[in-house]
Amino acid sequence: MPVTNFDHYTTRTANFDESYNFYANVLGIKTSMSQNVPFRMAVIELADNCHHHLMESGPEIEAYVGEPVPAIPAGPIDETNLGTMSPSRTANFDHLTFAGENFEEVAQRFRDAGIPFLDNPGFTGTGAPSPDRPRRWRVLQCMDPDGVKISINFPVE
């Protein structure tokens, strides 16, 4: 097979410190700074050979690539727009889903950081739970500081 695995994805941020803190400290994902580029870029290690590049927009990266590399502001994020499909803050890219362990511990990290989240948001369409189709996981839904929608699936205990 010519394509063998998923390697990485990249997001741009104008709020590097806030976004870095979100992934490294609130989500608790192993994170390091790349030493290979002349601008700030974090490597967020999701799994073996799969990671997220968090790339700071600004003059350093623009000088490096020779063109503008803007980050689009996310706008306000709160409980009123957290689980909605619109407005889209990331164009056609819709959301990321992580697997998690210990819902209460992760939820407490969000509370401690003052980051809004939804606990077990309802699904629409064929994903709706029913007596014949019980929920297989508990879902924490949030947005990162750049407006990327994130779901974290926890096994039902």
Side-chain angles (χ1 to χ4, degrees), residues 28-60:
I29 300 173
K30 183 179 176 185
T31 305
S32 61
M33 294 298 294
S34 173
Q35 303 301 314
N36 300 323
V37 291
F39 52 88
R40 290 201 304 174
M41 184 172 78
V43 178
I44 300 162
E45 299 177 30
L46 302 172
D48 290 342
N49 220 17
C50 175
H51 50 278
H52 169 192
H53 292 165
L54 180 65
M55 186 170 62
E56 183 175 38
S57 291
E60 292 85 1

PDB file of all heavy atoms in Angstrom, residues 28-60:
ATOM      1  N   GLY A  28      -2.730  17.449  28.870  1.00  0.00           N
ATOM      2  CA  GLY A  28      -1.678  16.602  29.418  1.00  0.00           C
ATOM      3  C   GLY A  28      -0.952  15.758  28.387  1.00  0.00           C
ATOM      4  O   GLY A  28      -0.462  14.682  28.694  1.00  0.00           O
ATOM      5  N   ILE A  29      -0.860  16.239  27.154  1.00  0.00           N
ATOM      6  CA  ILE A  29      -0.183  15.490  26.094  1.00  0.00           C
ATOM      7  C   ILE A  29       1.307  15.852  26.103  1.00  0.00           C
ATOM      8  O   ILE A  29       1.669  17.018  26.241  1.00  0.00           O
ATOM      9  CB  ILE A  29      -0.798  15.818  24.715  1.00  0.00           C
ATOM     10  CG1 ILE A  29      -2.287  15.443  24.692  1.00  0.00           C
ATOM     11  CG2 ILE A  29      -0.047  15.088  23.604  1.00  0.00           C
ATOM     12  CD1 ILE A  29      -3.008  15.887  23.436  1.00  0.00           C
ATOM     13  N   LYS A  30       2.157  14.855  25.937  1.00  0.00           N
ATOM     14  CA  LYS A  30       3.604  15.095  25.880  1.00  0.00           C
ATOM     15  C   LYS A  30       3.893  16.078  24.743  1.00  0.00           C
ATOM     16  O   LYS A  30       3.496  15.868  23.599  1.00  0.00           O
ATOM     17  CB  LYS A  30       4.342  13.780  25.636  1.00  0.00           C
ATOM     18  CG  LYS A  30       5.844  13.934  25.636  1.00  0.00           C
ATOM     19  CD  LYS A  30       6.525  12.593  25.422  1.00  0.00           C
ATOM     20  CE  LYS A  30       8.031  12.799  25.335  1.00  0.00           C
ATOM     21  NZ  LYS A  30       8.709  11.530  25.017  1.00  0.00           N
ATOM     22  N   THR A  31       4.588  17.162  25.080  1.00  0.00           N
ATOM     23  CA  THR A  31       4.810  18.258  24.146  1.00  0.00           C
ATOM     24  C   THR A  31       6.241  18.765  24.259  1.00  0.00           C
ATOM     25  O   THR A  31       6.775  18.871  25.356  1.00  0.00           O
ATOM     26  CB  THR A  31       3.819  19.410  24.460  1.00  0.00           C
ATOM     27  OG1 THR A  31       2.490  18.879  24.445  1.00  0.00           O
ATOM     28  CG2 THR A  31       3.902  20.519  23.454  1.00  0.00           C
ATOM     29  N   SER A  32       6.847  19.067  23.121  1.00  0.00           N
ATOM     30  CA  SER A  32       8.201  19.617  23.121  1.00  0.00           C
ATOM     31  C   SER A  32       8.303  20.692  22.052  1.00  0.00           C
ATOM     32  O   SER A  32       7.472  20.767  21.151  1.00  0.00           O
ATOM     33  CB  SER A  32       9.229  18.512  22.862  1.00  0.00           C
ATOM     34  OG  SER A  32       9.003  17.920  21.597  1.00  0.00           O
ATOM     35  N   MET A  33       9.333  21.501  22.146  1.00  0.00           N
ATOM     36  CA  MET A  33       9.561  22.553  21.158  1.00  0.00           C
ATOM     37  C   MET A  33      10.471  22.031  20.047  1.00  0.00           C
ATOM     38  O   MET A  33      11.482  21.393  20.323  1.00  0.00           O
ATOM     39  CB  MET A  33      10.197  23.771  21.821  1.00  0.00           C
ATOM     40  CG  MET A  33       9.299  24.464  22.828  1.00  0.00           C
ATOM     41  SD  MET A  33       7.775  25.118  22.097  1.00  0.00           S
ATOM     42  CE  MET A  33       8.437  26.388  21.030  1.00  0.00           C
ATOM     43  N   SER A  34      10.105  22.322  18.819  1.00  0.00           N
ATOM     44  CA  SER A  34      10.947  21.943  17.680  1.00  0.00           C
ATOM     45  C   SER A  34      12.178  22.835  17.652  1.00  0.00           C
ATOM     46  O   SER A  34      12.084  24.047  17.853  1.00  0.00           O
ATOM     47  CB  SER A  34      10.176  22.096  16.368  1.00  0.00           C
ATOM     48  OG  SER A  34      11.044  21.877  15.281  1.00  0.00           O
ATOM     49  N   GLN A  35      13.320  22.239  17.401  1.00  0.00           N
ATOM     50  CA  GLN A  35      14.572  22.996  17.272  1.00  0.00           C
ATOM     51  C   GLN A  35      14.985  23.122  15.813  1.00  0.00           C
ATOM     52  O   GLN A  35      16.053  23.635  15.507  1.00  0.00           O
ATOM     53  CB  GLN A  35      15.678  22.285  18.064  1.00  0.00           C
ATOM     54  CG  GLN A  35      15.351  22.083  19.530  1.00  0.00           C
ATOM     55  CD  GLN A  35      15.091  23.378  20.278  1.00  0.00           C
ATOM     56  OE1 GLN A  35      15.832  24.350  20.148  1.00  0.00           O
ATOM     57  NE2 GLN A  35      14.018  23.415  21.046  1.00  0.00           N
ATOM     58  N   ASN A  36      14.124  22.660  14.898  1.00  0.00           N
ATOM     59  CA  ASN A  36      14.487  22.579  13.480  1.00  0.00           C
ATOM     60  C   ASN A  36      14.045  23.765  12.641  1.00  0.00           C
ATOM     61  O   ASN A  36      14.331  23.795  11.447  1.00  0.00           O
ATOM     62  CB  ASN A  36      13.910  21.298  12.872  1.00  0.00           C
ATOM     63  CG  ASN A  36      14.437  20.059  13.554  1.00  0.00           C
ATOM     64  OD1 ASN A  36      15.596  20.008  13.943  1.00  0.00           O
ATOM     65  ND2 ASN A  36      13.583  19.073  13.713  1.00  0.00           N
ATOM     66  N   VAL A  37      13.324  24.711  13.224  1.00  0.00           N
ATOM     67  CA  VAL A  37      12.819  25.858  12.465  1.00  0.00           C
ATOM     68  C   VAL A  37      13.081  27.147  13.240  1.00  0.00           C
ATOM     69  O   VAL A  37      13.148  27.131  14.469  1.00  0.00           O
ATOM     70  CB  VAL A  37      11.307  25.716  12.168  1.00  0.00           C
ATOM     71  CG1 VAL A  37      11.050  24.591  11.174  1.00  0.00           C
ATOM     72  CG2 VAL A  37      10.505  25.504  13.440  1.00  0.00           C
ATOM     73  N   PRO A  38      13.216  28.276  12.539  1.00  0.00           N
ATOM     74  CA  PRO A  38      13.521  29.547  13.212  1.00  0.00           C
ATOM     75  C   PRO A  38      12.280  30.315  13.693  1.00  0.00           C
ATOM     76  O   PRO A  38      12.252  31.527  13.701  1.00  0.00           O
ATOM     77  CB  PRO A  38      14.268  30.331  12.134  1.00  0.00           C
ATOM     78  CG  PRO A  38      13.674  29.852  10.860  1.00  0.00           C
ATOM     79  CD  PRO A  38      13.356  28.398  11.085  1.00  0.00           C
ATOM     80  N   PHE A  39      11.234  29.594  14.052  1.00  0.00           N
ATOM     81  CA  PHE A  39      10.027  30.186  14.626  1.00  0.00           C
ATOM     82  C   PHE A  39       9.517  29.201  15.667  1.00  0.00           C
ATOM     83  O   PHE A  39       9.974  28.053  15.738  1.00  0.00           O
ATOM     84  CB  PHE A  39       8.966  30.474  13.550  1.00  0.00           C
ATOM     85  CG  PHE A  39       8.633  29.307  12.674  1.00  0.00           C
ATOM     86  CD1 PHE A  39       7.647  28.400  13.020  1.00  0.00           C
ATOM     87  CD2 PHE A  39       9.328  29.103  11.484  1.00  0.00           C
ATOM     88  CE1 PHE A  39       7.353  27.315  12.216  1.00  0.00           C
ATOM     89  CE2 PHE A  39       9.029  28.027  10.662  1.00  0.00           C
ATOM     90  CZ  PHE A  39       8.049  27.132  11.029  1.00  0.00           C
ATOM     91  N   ARG A  40       8.578  29.643  16.495  1.00  0.00           N
ATOM     92  CA  ARG A  40       8.096  28.746  17.545  1.00  0.00           C
ATOM     93  C   ARG A  40       7.127  27.714  16.964  1.00  0.00           C
ATOM     94  O   ARG A  40       6.122  28.063  16.343  1.00  0.00           O
ATOM     95  CB  ARG A  40       7.423  29.522  18.663  1.00  0.00           C
ATOM     96  CG  ARG A  40       8.417  30.329  19.467  1.00  0.00           C
ATOM     97  CD  ARG A  40       7.933  30.706  20.832  1.00  0.00           C
ATOM     98  NE  ARG A  40       6.666  31.434  20.827  1.00  0.00           N
ATOM     99  CZ  ARG A  40       6.010  31.763  21.933  1.00  0.00           C
ATOM    100  NH1 ARG A  40       6.473  31.444  23.122  1.00  0.00           N
ATOM    101  NH2 ARG A  40       4.876  32.422  21.853  1.00  0.00           N
ATOM    102  N   MET A  41       7.475  26.449  17.166  1.00  0.00           N
ATOM    103  CA  MET A  41       6.614  25.349  16.761  1.00  0.00           C
ATOM    104  C   MET A  41       6.742  24.243  17.799  1.00  0.00           C
ATOM    105  O   MET A  41       7.844  23.783  18.090  1.00  0.00           O
ATOM    106  CB  MET A  41       6.984  24.807  15.385  1.00  0.00           C
ATOM    107  CG  MET A  41       6.038  23.716  14.913  1.00  0.00           C
ATOM    108  SD  MET A  41       6.318  23.206  13.203  1.00  0.00           S
ATOM    109  CE  MET A  41       7.761  22.150  13.411  1.00  0.00           C
ATOM    110  N   ALA A  42       5.611  23.867  18.370  1.00  0.00           N
ATOM    111  CA  ALA A  42       5.592  22.767  19.329  1.00  0.00           C
ATOM    112  C   ALA A  42       5.239  21.483  18.600  1.00  0.00           C
ATOM    113  O   ALA A  42       4.472  21.482  17.644  1.00  0.00           O
ATOM    114  CB  ALA A  42       4.564  23.041  20.421  1.00  0.00           C
ATOM    115  N   VAL A  43       5.808  20.394  19.085  1.00  0.00           N
ATOM    116  CA  VAL A  43       5.463  19.065  18.593  1.00  0.00           C
ATOM    117  C   VAL A  43       4.676  18.396  19.711  1.00  0.00           C
ATOM    118  O   VAL A  43       5.192  18.165  20.805  1.00  0.00           O
ATOM    119  CB  VAL A  43       6.721  18.250  18.227  1.00  0.00           C
ATOM    120  CG1 VAL A  43       6.332  16.848  17.775  1.00  0.00           C
ATOM    121  CG2 VAL A  43       7.523  18.976  17.155  1.00  0.00           C
ATOM    122  N   ILE A  44       3.411  18.126  19.429  1.00  0.00           N
ATOM    123  CA  ILE A  44       2.512  17.520  20.398  1.00  0.00           C
ATOM    124  C   ILE A  44       2.390  16.052  20.009  1.00  0.00           C
ATOM    125  O   ILE A  44       1.841  15.731  18.960  1.00  0.00           O
ATOM    126  CB  ILE A  44       1.158  18.259  20.401  1.00  0.00           C
ATOM    127  CG1 ILE A  44       1.412  19.730  20.771  1.00  0.00           C
ATOM    128  CG2 ILE A  44       0.175  17.599  21.344  1.00  0.00           C
ATOM    129  CD1 ILE A  44       0.303  20.658  20.409  1.00  0.00           C
ATOM    130  N   GLU A  45       2.940  15.189  20.830  1.00  0.00           N
ATOM    131  CA  GLU A  45       3.088  13.774  20.481  1.00  0.00           C
ATOM    132  C   GLU A  45       1.831  12.991  20.836  1.00  0.00           C
ATOM    133  O   GLU A  45       1.613  12.662  21.991  1.00  0.00           O
ATOM    134  CB  GLU A  45       4.313  13.203  21.185  1.00  0.00           C
ATOM    135  CG  GLU A  45       5.582  13.917  20.774  1.00  0.00           C
ATOM    136  CD  GLU A  45       6.806  13.422  21.506  1.00  0.00           C
ATOM    137  OE1 GLU A  45       6.841  12.233  21.874  1.00  0.00           O
ATOM    138  OE2 GLU A  45       7.719  14.234  21.709  1.00  0.00           O
ATOM    139  N   LEU A  46       1.032  12.699  19.832  1.00  0.00           N
ATOM    140  CA  LEU A  46      -0.248  12.031  20.062  1.00  0.00           C
ATOM    141  C   LEU A  46      -0.117  10.521  20.206  1.00  0.00           C
ATOM    142  O   LEU A  46      -0.822   9.895  20.968  1.00  0.00           O
ATOM    143  CB  LEU A  46      -1.210  12.357  18.919  1.00  0.00           C
ATOM    144  CG  LEU A  46      -1.467  13.847  18.733  1.00  0.00           C
ATOM    145  CD1 LEU A  46      -2.270  14.096  17.479  1.00  0.00           C
ATOM    146  CD2 LEU A  46      -2.175  14.407  19.943  1.00  0.00           C
ATOM    147  N   ALA A  47       0.752   9.911  19.435  1.00  0.00           N
ATOM    148  CA  ALA A  47       0.952   8.460  19.465  1.00  0.00           C
ATOM    149  C   ALA A  47       2.251   8.167  18.731  1.00  0.00           C
ATOM    150  O   ALA A  47       2.886   9.077  18.197  1.00  0.00           O
ATOM    151  CB  ALA A  47      -0.220   7.745  18.786  1.00  0.00           C
ATOM    152  N   ASP A  48       2.631   6.908  18.687  1.00  0.00           N
ATOM    153  CA  ASP A  48       3.827   6.548  17.927  1.00  0.00           C
ATOM    154  C   ASP A  48       3.701   7.064  16.503  1.00  0.00           C
ATOM    155  O   ASP A  48       2.742   6.758  15.807  1.00  0.00           O
ATOM    156  CB  ASP A  48       4.011   5.021  17.894  1.00  0.00           C
ATOM    157  CG  ASP A  48       4.407   4.471  19.252  1.00  0.00           C
ATOM    158  OD1 ASP A  48       4.861   5.266  20.094  1.00  0.00           O
ATOM    159  OD2 ASP A  48       4.255   3.261  19.453  1.00  0.00           O
ATOM    160  N   ASN A  49       4.655   7.882  16.116  1.00  0.00           N
ATOM    161  CA  ASN A  49       4.735   8.370  14.741  1.00  0.00           C
ATOM    162  C   ASN A  49       3.506   9.167  14.308  1.00  0.00           C
ATOM    163  O   ASN A  49       3.161   9.184  13.133  1.00  0.00           O
ATOM    164  CB  ASN A  49       4.981   7.198  13.790  1.00  0.00           C
ATOM    165  CG  ASN A  49       5.967   7.588  12.711  1.00  0.00           C
ATOM    166  OD1 ASN A  49       6.677   8.575  12.848  1.00  0.00           O
ATOM    167  ND2 ASN A  49       6.016   6.819  11.656  1.00  0.00           N
ATOM    168  N   CYS A  50       2.806   9.790  15.230  1.00  0.00           N
ATOM    169  CA  CYS A  50       1.651  10.618  14.904  1.00  0.00           C
ATOM    170  C   CYS A  50       1.677  11.817  15.839  1.00  0.00           C
ATOM    171  O   CYS A  50       1.691  11.652  17.058  1.00  0.00           O
ATOM    172  CB  CYS A  50       0.364   9.815  15.091  1.00  0.00           C
ATOM    173  SG  CYS A  50      -1.123  10.785  14.848  1.00  0.00           S
ATOM    174  N   HIS A  51       1.723  13.007  15.282  1.00  0.00           N
ATOM    175  CA  HIS A  51       1.827  14.178  16.139  1.00  0.00           C
ATOM    176  C   HIS A  51       1.149  15.390  15.514  1.00  0.00           C
ATOM    177  O   HIS A  51       0.695  15.351  14.388  1.00  0.00           O
ATOM    178  CB  HIS A  51       3.291  14.475  16.475  1.00  0.00           C
ATOM    179  CG  HIS A  51       4.184  14.525  15.286  1.00  0.00           C
ATOM    180  ND1 HIS A  51       4.710  13.405  14.699  1.00  0.00           N
ATOM    181  CD2 HIS A  51       4.645  15.566  14.559  1.00  0.00           C
ATOM    182  CE1 HIS A  51       5.451  13.746  13.658  1.00  0.00           C
ATOM    183  NE2 HIS A  51       5.422  15.046  13.552  1.00  0.00           N
ATOM    184  N   HIS A  52       1.087  16.443  16.297  1.00  0.00           N
ATOM    185  CA  HIS A  52       0.460  17.709  15.922  1.00  0.00           C
ATOM    186  C   HIS A  52       1.538  18.778  15.990  1.00  0.00           C
ATOM    187  O   HIS A  52       2.231  18.892  16.987  1.00  0.00           O
ATOM    188  CB  HIS A  52      -0.668  17.981  16.928  1.00  0.00           C
ATOM    189  CG  HIS A  52      -1.254  19.356  16.874  1.00  0.00           C
ATOM    190  ND1 HIS A  52      -2.091  19.806  17.854  1.00  0.00           N
ATOM    191  CD2 HIS A  52      -1.155  20.375  16.005  1.00  0.00           C
ATOM    192  CE1 HIS A  52      -2.486  21.036  17.584  1.00  0.00           C
ATOM    193  NE2 HIS A  52      -1.918  21.400  16.470  1.00  0.00           N
ATOM    194  N   HIS A  53       1.696  19.540  14.921  1.00  0.00           N
ATOM    195  CA  HIS A  53       2.592  20.698  14.944  1.00  0.00           C
ATOM    196  C   HIS A  53       1.751  21.925  15.270  1.00  0.00           C
ATOM    197  O   HIS A  53       0.810  22.246  14.553  1.00  0.00           O
ATOM    198  CB  HIS A  53       3.257  20.921  13.581  1.00  0.00           C
ATOM    199  CG  HIS A  53       4.229  19.858  13.206  1.00  0.00           C
ATOM    200  ND1 HIS A  53       4.690  19.713  11.921  1.00  0.00           N
ATOM    201  CD2 HIS A  53       4.838  18.903  13.925  1.00  0.00           C
ATOM    202  CE1 HIS A  53       5.543  18.707  11.872  1.00  0.00           C
ATOM    203  NE2 HIS A  53       5.638  18.197  13.076  1.00  0.00           N
ATOM    204  N   LEU A  54       2.077  22.595  16.344  1.00  0.00           N
ATOM    205  CA  LEU A  54       1.430  23.850  16.718  1.00  0.00           C
ATOM    206  C   LEU A  54       2.394  24.951  16.316  1.00  0.00           C
ATOM    207  O   LEU A  54       3.461  25.106  16.901  1.00  0.00           O
ATOM    208  CB  LEU A  54       1.155  23.883  18.221  1.00  0.00           C
ATOM    209  CG  LEU A  54       0.479  25.135  18.741  1.00  0.00           C
ATOM    210  CD1 LEU A  54      -0.930  25.261  18.169  1.00  0.00           C
ATOM    211  CD2 LEU A  54       0.440  25.106  20.253  1.00  0.00           C
ATOM    212  N   MET A  55       2.039  25.705  15.276  1.00  0.00           N
ATOM    213  CA  MET A  55       2.956  26.626  14.621  1.00  0.00           C
ATOM    214  C   MET A  55       2.517  28.074  14.874  1.00  0.00           C
ATOM    215  O   MET A  55       1.373  28.435  14.603  1.00  0.00           O
ATOM    216  CB  MET A  55       2.919  26.312  13.119  1.00  0.00           C
ATOM    217  CG  MET A  55       3.869  27.020  12.277  1.00  0.00           C
ATOM    218  SD  MET A  55       3.881  26.310  10.597  1.00  0.00           S
ATOM    219  CE  MET A  55       2.220  26.596  10.033  1.00  0.00           C
ATOM    220  N   GLU A  56       3.419  28.879  15.419  1.00  0.00           N
ATOM    221  CA  GLU A  56       3.094  30.270  15.712  1.00  0.00           C
ATOM    222  C   GLU A  56       3.160  31.120  14.452  1.00  0.00           C
ATOM    223  O   GLU A  56       4.176  31.142  13.750  1.00  0.00           O
ATOM    224  CB  GLU A  56       4.056  30.840  16.749  1.00  0.00           C
ATOM    225  CG  GLU A  56       3.710  32.266  17.147  1.00  0.00           C
ATOM    226  CD  GLU A  56       4.594  32.790  18.253  1.00  0.00           C
ATOM    227  OE1 GLU A  56       5.803  32.490  18.261  1.00  0.00           O
ATOM    228  OE2 GLU A  56       4.067  33.502  19.110  1.00  0.00           O
ATOM    229  N   SER A  57       2.055  31.811  14.161  1.00  0.00           N
ATOM    230  CA  SER A  57       2.050  32.771  13.050  1.00  0.00           C
ATOM    231  C   SER A  57       2.794  34.023  13.474  1.00  0.00           C
ATOM    232  O   SER A  57       2.845  34.346  14.649  1.00  0.00           O
ATOM    233  CB  SER A  57       0.614  33.129  12.658  1.00  0.00           C
ATOM    234  OG  SER A  57      -0.014  32.026  12.075  1.00  0.00           O
ATOM    235  N   GLY A  58       3.365  34.702  12.509  1.00  0.00           N
ATOM    236  CA  GLY A  58       4.065  35.938  12.817  1.00  0.00           C
ATOM    237  C   GLY A  58       5.219  36.169  11.869  1.00  0.00           C
ATOM    238  O   GLY A  58       5.421  35.429  10.898  1.00  0.00           O
ATOM    239  N   PRO A  59       6.009  37.197  12.128  1.00  0.00           N
ATOM    240  CA  PRO A  59       7.067  37.585  11.199  1.00  0.00           C
ATOM    241  C   PRO A  59       8.154  36.530  11.002  1.00  0.00           C
ATOM    242  O   PRO A  59       8.710  36.426   9.908  1.00  0.00           O
ATOM    243  CB  PRO A  59       7.641  38.870  11.793  1.00  0.00           C
ATOM    244  CG  PRO A  59       7.116  38.969  13.180  1.00  0.00           C
ATOM    245  CD  PRO A  59       5.889  38.111  13.261  1.00  0.00           C
ATOM    246  N   GLU A  60       8.432  35.723  12.033  1.00  0.00           N
ATOM    247  CA  GLU A  60       9.498  34.725  11.898  1.00  0.00           C
ATOM    248  C   GLU A  60       9.149  33.659  10.865  1.00  0.00           C
ATOM    249  O   GLU A  60       9.960  33.321  10.006  1.00  0.00           O
ATOM    250  CB  GLU A  60       9.813  34.057  13.245  1.00  0.00           C
ATOM    251  CG  GLU A  60      10.465  34.981  14.258  1.00  0.00           C
ATOM    252  CD  GLU A  60       9.461  35.806  15.063  1.00  0.00           C
ATOM    253  OE1 GLU A  60       8.221  35.655  14.861  1.00  0.00           O
ATOM    254  OE2 GLU A  60       9.905  36.627  15.895  1.00  0.00           O
TER     255      GLU A  60
END
